[in-house]
Amino acid sequence: MRTENLVFLPDSPYTEWIINRSEDLFSGLNKYLVVVEDISKPTRFTNSEILVVENGDLENSPIVSELSDFKRIIVNYHTPFIGHFLMRRQSELSHAKLIWIIWSGDLYKHPSFLSKAYTSRTMAVLPPEKMVETWGKSVHHRILQALGKPNKYSFEKSFSKFDFVATIFEKDVMEAESVLGLKAKWIRFAFLSLEEMFSEEYLKNKPVLGDKIMVGHSGSPENNHLDVYHQIHHLLPSNEMTILSPLSYGNPTYIEAVKSMGEEYFEDKFETLEDFIPREFYYQKLAEASVAIFNHKIQQAFGNILGLIFMGVKVFLNPENPVYIELTSHNIKVFDYSKMTQDDLLNPLSAEDVDNNRAIISLLFKEEKIRDYYRDLYIA
C-alpha cells in the first residue's frame, strides 16, 4: 500500500493518541515525523518505530527522498524549522496539499500578538524581548536568511503556502489570515473525544467537587495570573477559599513572580501544583475546585477548560479568548472574567447548568464526531 500522508508532530503527550487515531482510520497510509529540539533527550511518547528528527537536521532526514510521493503534508504545530524545510522543498511538494493544524503556540508566539496576549502586569514581569525567542532580532534573521538557514522570514512566508488550516476555533483562522497572510480553507477539527479525556466513571457520574478556586493551567505567561490574583484579593479580602494554580511547566521567571504574589495575597491558602502527575490523578486534583479562572486572551488550555466544565466546575474565561467565543456560540454556560463578582466566586454552578453543559459537550465531542473530524482532515 502506498503511503499518502506525511504527518509532522511535536514531542507531546498527545503524539501517540493522534497517531493511534490516524492509523485506526487510515492504517498504513501515513508516515509520522516527530521534530524535537534535542534528539538525545527522552521523548514523551513510547513508540520506538516513530521517526524522530532534530530541528536542524530535517534536510538530512530519510524522509527527503520520499517527499514527491506524498499527497498531503500535515503539520501539527508549525515551527520555523518546518517552515524553512517546506519553503526549500517546494518543487518536490508542488503536487501535495499542505495542511496546518493549529496548536496555539505556533500562531500566538508571533510578535504581533504581544499586545493581545499579555496584560500590563504580565508584561511588567516579562518585557516583550523576553517573550519572542522564536523570532529574535531582525539583523540576526537576515544573516540566517543569507546563509540559507531557518529564519523568521521564510517561516512567515510559509504560512501562505498552506491549502488548509485545521482548528475548531474560527477566531484563530481569522487571526492567522490577518497577521500571517494565511489563505487556506478552514477545516473544523478537534484532537480528542470525551472518551479519550475521561475514564468511564467520570463519563457516567459527576464528581463531587471541592471548594477551591483554580487559576490558570501552567506557568506560561499567557495565563496572566497576576491580574486574577489581584481581582480575587479585591473581591474576597478575607478569603477562606484555597487558590490552586498548576505551575508544572512554563517560564521560570514568570513562575517565581506568580508564586510571590500568590503567597503574599493568600498566604497558607495558596497552593501550587509543580510536578507532572498522571492524567487520572490530575483530574482528581482539578475536581478539588468549584471555580476555575483562565485569563488567557488567546486560545490555550482548551483540554483543561473542557474537562473542568464537563466535571461541573464554574469556569470564567477572558471574553477575548477564542475558547470563550466558541463555547458560548454553543450555549455552553461559561462566565465572562471581566464581569466577575464576589457572588460569582462564592456560588457554584447550578445543577441545571451543569447538566446542560455536560449534554452539549457530550454531543460536540463524542467519539463519532472526532472520528469525522479526522476523516475530513485526511481526505482534504
Side-chain angles (χ1 to χ4, degrees), residues 30 77 108 167 224-225 231 237-238 290 302 312 371:
N30 313 301
Y77 202 103
Y108 290 109
T167 176
N224 294 308
H225 293 83
Q231 183 74 345
S238 57
S290 59
F302 183 53
R371 285 176 66 88

Side-chain angles (χ1 to χ4, degrees), residues 270-287:
F270 180 64
E271 179 184 352
T272 62
L273 180 61
E274 299 183 52
D275 295 319
F276 284 101
I277 57 177
R279 183 163 53 109
E280 178 185 353
F281 297 111
Y282 181 64
Y283 279 115
Q284 289 177 9
K285 192 67 181 176
L286 298 191

Side-chain angles (χ1 to χ4, degrees), residues 98-116:
L98 270 58
I99 304 170
W100 171 32
I101 302 177
I102 297 177
W103 280 50
S104 179
D106 45 352
L107 171 61
Y108 290 109
K109 288 296 184 183
H110 191 282
S112 297
F113 292 104
L114 275 179
S115 61
K116 298 181 181 181

Side-chain angles (χ1 to χ4, degrees), residues 363-376:
L363 286 174
L364 292 176
F365 297 95
K366 61 184 178 180
E367 178 65 21
E368 295 84 355
K369 190 74 171 179
I370 303 303
R371 285 176 66 88
D372 287 343
Y373 282 149
Y374 273 81
R375 189 176 290 108
D376 290 344

Side-chain angles (χ1 to χ4, degrees), residues 214-225 229 245-251 254-255 258 273 282 294 296 300-301 304:
M214 177 177 166
V215 178
H217 80 293
S218 73
S220 63
E222 292 81 13
N223 285 265
N224 294 308
H225 293 83
Y229 291 167
S245 285
L247 299 172
S248 56
Y249 66 91
N251 182 291
Y254 177 76
I255 289 173
V258 168
L273 180 61
Y282 181 64
F294 296 88
H296 305 76
Q300 214 176 75
N304 282 267

Side-chain angles (χ1 to χ4, degrees), residues 4-19:
E4 294 187 357
N5 309 305
L6 173 60
V7 183
F8 285 92
L9 289 155
D11 179 16
S12 160
Y14 300 116
T15 295
E16 283 190 284
W17 285 1
I18 294 169
I19 291 174

Side-chain angles (χ1 to χ4, degrees), residues 69 77 91 97 120 122 137 145 149 164 171 178 182 212 217 223 231-232 272 291-292 299 308 331 359 366:
D69 296 333
Y77 202 103
S91 58
K97 295 175 181 176
S120 58
T122 301
K137 295 182 178 180
Q145 185 182 37
K149 294 184 177 181
F164 297 91
K171 187 180 178 183
S178 173
L182 185 75
K212 296 179 181 179
H217 80 293
N223 285 265
Q231 183 74 345
I232 294 173
T272 62
V291 171
Q299 183 261 114
L308 286 160
N331 296 316
K366 61 184 178 180

Side-chain angles (χ1 to χ4, degrees), residues 118-123 223-233 254 261 265 295 337 340:
Y118 307 108
T119 65
S120 58
R121 284 190 173 88
T122 301
M123 296 282 272
N223 285 265
N224 294 308
H225 293 83
L226 305 184
D227 298 79
V228 181
Y229 291 167
H230 183 78
Q231 183 74 345
I232 294 173
H233 188 61
Y254 177 76
M261 179 181 278
Y265 277 179
N295 193 24
Y337 162 71
M340 187 171 67

